[in-house]
Amino acid sequence: MIFKDLQHAWNPSPEEIRAWAYSNEKIPEQDWELAVNSFENIPMICTFIDDEKCTHTCFFLSSLYVFTGDIVRSGITEDIVSLHELVDHVTKTAKSEQLKNWVERSKHLIKHPKEYDYDYWGLGSKYVY
């Protein structure tokens, strides 16, 4: 077991996230996407999506859509600017079609925030599942 207890799973370190990404363990907690999402973790999450050895690619891809949706929906200008910069950075490194699609869709949503739809940008994103 990667996490000592559920409380610890809600504050995972990058090492714990990485260990889980390549494990066969089930998701440690419902809505865990919310625990792993942070500006600091997104570059690492993107590497998981581009790595065929990652056993939880769909989970991490879904977490990216949740992250973008939550930031855009918040309307917090500083966070949206940071998201835009992050997406621009990922544009340069994305290898998989899945990640490239997230980049393009995120850029579109940032420009057109009124098009936010929870079914696509919330937990269980229809873009992924």
Side-chain angles (χ1 to χ4, degrees):
M1 174 149 254
I2 294 171
F3 303 101
K4 298 172 191 169
D5 54 46
L6 291 180
Q7 182 178 6
H8 192 70
W10 279 102
N11 190 22
S13 69
E15 294 78 21
E16 291 167 325
I17 296 168
R18 188 174 294 107
W20 183 81
Y22 294 94
S23 76
N24 289 320
E25 289 189 24
K26 293 182 179 181
I27 189 170
E29 186 68 22
Q30 183 178 348
D31 301 340
W32 197 55
E33 293 94 332
L34 304 175
V36 301
N37 279 344
S38 69
F39 281 105
E40 296 78 25
N41 287 339
I42 297 302
M44 175 180 63
I45 289 171
C46 291
T47 66
F48 299 152
I49 295 165
D50 278 342
D51 186 352
E52 294 175 2
K53 295 175 186 169
C54 178
T55 54
H56 297 289
T57 303
C58 288
F59 168 84
F60 287 111
L61 185 59
S62 178
S63 74
L64 290 181
Y65 283 102
V66 170
F67 185 74
T68 297
D70 285 353
I71 297 292
V72 171
R73 194 172 52 130
S74 77
I76 300 171
T77 303
E78 299 84 26
D79 288 349
I80 294 169
V81 168
S82 294
L83 175 64
H84 186 38
E85 291 169 356
L86 179 64
V87 170
D88 281 347
H89 174 74
V90 173
T91 300
K92 299 170 189 169
T93 60
K95 296 174 188 164
S96 68
E97 279 305 307
Q98 294 173 313
L99 193 54
K100 290 176 184 178
N101 287 338
W102 170 76
V103 164
E104 292 308 312
R105 290 170 177 153
S106 294
K107 287 179 179 182
H108 181 83
L109 188 65
I110 290 167
K111 289 180 183 175
H112 308 282
K114 291 185 179 185
E115 293 183 18
Y116 171 87
D117 182 339
Y118 181 86
D119 288 342
Y120 293 90
W121 297 98
L123 294 167
S125 169
K126 286 185 178 181
Y127 284 133
V128 180
Y129 301 106

